[in-house]
CSV table of all heavy atoms in Angstrom, one decimal:
chain,number,residue,atom,x,y,z
A,30,GLY,N,12.9,16.7,-25.2
A,30,GLY,CA,13.9,16.4,-26.1
A,30,GLY,C,15.1,15.7,-25.4
A,30,GLY,O,16.0,15.2,-26.1
A,31,ILE,N,15.1,15.6,-24.1
A,31,ILE,CA,16.2,14.9,-23.4
A,31,ILE,C,15.9,13.4,-23.3
A,31,ILE,O,14.7,13.0,-23.3
A,31,ILE,CB,16.5,15.5,-22.0
A,31,ILE,CG1,15.2,15.4,-21.1
A,31,ILE,CG2,17.0,16.9,-22.1
A,31,ILE,CD1,15.5,15.8,-19.7
A,32,ASN,N,16.9,12.6,-23.3
A,32,ASN,CA,16.7,11.1,-23.2
A,32,ASN,C,15.9,10.7,-22.0
A,32,ASN,O,16.1,11.3,-20.9
A,32,ASN,CB,18.1,10.4,-23.3
A,32,ASN,CG,18.8,10.5,-24.6
A,32,ASN,OD1,20.0,10.5,-24.7
A,32,ASN,ND2,18.0,10.6,-25.7
A,33,VAL,N,15.1,9.7,-22.2
A,33,VAL,CA,14.4,9.1,-21.0
A,33,VAL,C,15.4,8.4,-20.1
A,33,VAL,O,16.3,7.7,-20.6
A,33,VAL,CB,13.4,8.1,-21.6
A,33,VAL,CG1,12.9,7.1,-20.5
A,33,VAL,CG2,12.1,8.8,-22.1
A,34,ASP,N,15.3,8.6,-18.8
A,34,ASP,CA,16.1,7.9,-17.8
A,34,ASP,C,15.2,7.1,-17.0
A,34,ASP,O,14.3,7.6,-16.3
A,34,ASP,CB,16.9,8.9,-16.9
A,34,ASP,CG,17.9,8.2,-16.1
A,34,ASP,OD1,17.9,7.0,-15.9
A,34,ASP,OD2,18.8,8.9,-15.5
A,35,LEU,N,15.3,5.7,-17.0
A,35,LEU,CA,14.4,4.8,-16.4
A,35,LEU,C,14.7,4.7,-14.9
A,35,LEU,O,13.9,4.2,-14.1
A,35,LEU,CB,14.4,3.5,-17.0
A,35,LEU,CG,14.0,3.4,-18.4
A,35,LEU,CD1,13.8,1.9,-18.9
A,35,LEU,CD2,12.6,4.1,-18.7
A,36,ILE,N,15.8,5.2,-14.4
A,36,ILE,CA,16.1,5.1,-12.9
A,36,ILE,C,15.6,6.4,-12.3
A,36,ILE,O,16.1,7.5,-12.6
A,36,ILE,CB,17.6,4.9,-12.7
A,36,ILE,CG1,18.2,3.9,-13.7
A,36,ILE,CG2,17.9,4.6,-11.2
A,36,ILE,CD1,17.7,2.5,-13.5
A,37,PRO,N,14.7,6.2,-11.3
A,37,PRO,CA,14.2,7.4,-10.6
A,37,PRO,C,15.2,8.0,-9.6
A,37,PRO,O,16.3,7.4,-9.4
A,37,PRO,CB,13.0,6.9,-9.8
A,37,PRO,CG,13.3,5.4,-9.6
A,37,PRO,CD,14.1,5.0,-10.8
A,38,PRO,N,15.0,9.2,-9.1
A,38,PRO,CA,15.9,9.8,-8.1
A,38,PRO,C,16.1,8.8,-6.9
A,38,PRO,O,15.1,8.2,-6.4
A,38,PRO,CB,15.2,11.1,-7.6
A,38,PRO,CG,14.3,11.4,-8.8
A,38,PRO,CD,13.8,10.1,-9.4
A,39,ASN,N,17.3,8.6,-6.5
A,39,ASN,CA,17.7,7.7,-5.4
A,39,ASN,C,17.4,6.2,-5.8
A,39,ASN,O,17.5,5.3,-4.9
A,39,ASN,CB,16.9,8.0,-4.1
A,39,ASN,CG,17.2,9.5,-3.7
A,39,ASN,OD1,18.3,9.9,-3.7
A,39,ASN,ND2,16.1,10.1,-3.3
A,40,GLY,N,17.1,5.9,-7.0
A,40,GLY,CA,16.9,4.5,-7.5
A,40,GLY,C,18.2,3.8,-7.6
A,40,GLY,O,19.2,4.4,-7.9
A,41,LEU,N,18.2,2.5,-7.2
A,41,LEU,CA,19.4,1.7,-7.3
A,41,LEU,C,19.0,0.3,-8.0
A,41,LEU,O,18.1,-0.4,-7.5
A,41,LEU,CB,19.9,1.4,-5.9
A,41,LEU,CG,20.3,2.6,-5.0
A,41,LEU,CD1,20.7,2.1,-3.6
A,41,LEU,CD2,21.5,3.3,-5.7
A,42,GLY,N,19.8,0.0,-9.0
A,42,GLY,CA,19.7,-1.3,-9.6
A,42,GLY,C,20.9,-2.2,-9.5
A,42,GLY,O,22.0,-1.7,-9.4
A,43,LEU,N,20.6,-3.5,-9.4
A,43,LEU,CA,21.7,-4.5,-9.2
A,43,LEU,C,22.3,-4.5,-7.8
A,43,LEU,O,23.4,-4.9,-7.6
A,43,LEU,CB,22.8,-4.3,-10.2
A,43,LEU,CG,22.4,-4.3,-11.7
A,43,LEU,CD1,23.7,-4.3,-12.6
A,43,LEU,CD2,21.6,-5.5,-12.0
A,44,GLY,N,21.6,-3.9,-6.8
A,44,GLY,CA,22.0,-4.0,-5.4
A,44,GLY,C,22.1,-5.5,-5.0
A,44,GLY,O,21.3,-6.3,-5.5
A,45,VAL,N,22.9,-5.8,-4.0
A,45,VAL,CA,23.0,-7.2,-3.5
A,45,VAL,C,22.9,-7.2,-2.0
A,45,VAL,O,23.5,-6.3,-1.3
A,45,VAL,CB,24.4,-7.8,-3.9
A,45,VAL,CG1,24.5,-9.2,-3.3
A,45,VAL,CG2,24.6,-7.8,-5.4
A,46,TYR,N,22.1,-8.1,-1.5
A,46,TYR,CA,22.0,-8.4,0.0
A,46,TYR,C,22.5,-9.8,0.2
A,46,TYR,O,22.3,-10.7,-0.7
A,46,TYR,CB,20.5,-8.3,0.5
A,46,TYR,CG,19.9,-6.9,0.4
A,46,TYR,CD1,19.1,-6.6,-0.7
A,46,TYR,CD2,20.1,-6.0,1.4
A,46,TYR,CE1,18.5,-5.3,-0.7
A,46,TYR,CE2,19.5,-4.8,1.4
A,46,TYR,CZ,18.7,-4.4,0.3
A,46,TYR,OH,18.2,-3.2,0.3
A,47,LEU,N,23.0,-10.1,1.3
A,47,LEU,CA,23.4,-11.4,1.7
A,47,LEU,C,22.5,-11.8,2.9
A,47,LEU,O,22.6,-11.1,4.0
A,47,LEU,CB,24.9,-11.5,2.1
A,47,LEU,CG,25.8,-11.2,0.9
A,47,LEU,CD1,27.3,-11.2,1.4
A,47,LEU,CD2,25.7,-12.2,-0.2
A,48,GLN,N,21.8,-12.9,2.8
A,48,GLN,CA,20.9,-13.3,3.9
A,48,GLN,C,21.4,-14.6,4.5
A,48,GLN,O,21.7,-15.5,3.8
A,48,GLN,CB,19.5,-13.5,3.3
A,48,GLN,CG,18.4,-13.9,4.3
A,48,GLN,CD,17.8,-12.7,5.0
A,48,GLN,OE1,17.7,-11.6,4.3
A,48,GLN,NE2,17.5,-12.8,6.2
A,49,GLN,N,21.5,-14.5,5.9
A,49,GLN,CA,21.9,-15.7,6.6
A,49,GLN,C,21.0,-15.8,7.8
A,49,GLN,O,21.1,-15.0,8.7
A,49,GLN,CB,23.4,-15.6,7.0
A,49,GLN,CG,24.0,-16.9,7.3
A,49,GLN,CD,25.5,-16.8,7.4
A,49,GLN,OE1,26.0,-15.8,7.9
A,49,GLN,NE2,26.2,-17.9,7.0
A,50,ALA,N,20.1,-16.9,7.9
A,50,ALA,CA,19.1,-17.0,8.9
A,50,ALA,C,18.3,-15.7,9.0
A,50,ALA,O,17.7,-15.3,8.0
A,50,ALA,CB,19.8,-17.3,10.3
A,51,ASN,N,18.2,-15.0,10.1
A,51,ASN,CA,17.5,-13.8,10.2
A,51,ASN,C,18.3,-12.5,10.1
A,51,ASN,O,17.8,-11.4,10.3
A,51,ASN,CB,16.7,-13.8,11.6
A,51,ASN,CG,15.7,-14.8,11.6
A,51,ASN,OD1,15.0,-15.2,10.6
A,51,ASN,ND2,15.5,-15.4,12.8
A,52,GLU,N,19.5,-12.7,9.7
A,52,GLU,CA,20.5,-11.6,9.5
A,52,GLU,C,20.7,-11.2,8.0
A,52,GLU,O,20.9,-12.1,7.2
A,52,GLU,CB,21.8,-11.8,10.2
A,52,GLU,CG,21.7,-12.0,11.7
A,52,GLU,CD,23.1,-12.2,12.3
A,52,GLU,OE1,24.1,-12.1,11.6
A,52,GLU,OE2,23.2,-12.5,13.5
Side-chain angles (χ1 to χ4, degrees):
I31 59 174
N32 290 150
V33 161
D34 191 344
L35 296 188
I36 315 298
N39 303 316
L41 300 175
L43 305 185
V45 178
Y46 295 97
L47 298 175
Q48 185 81 37
Q49 199 168 37
N51 294 323
E52 295 183 9

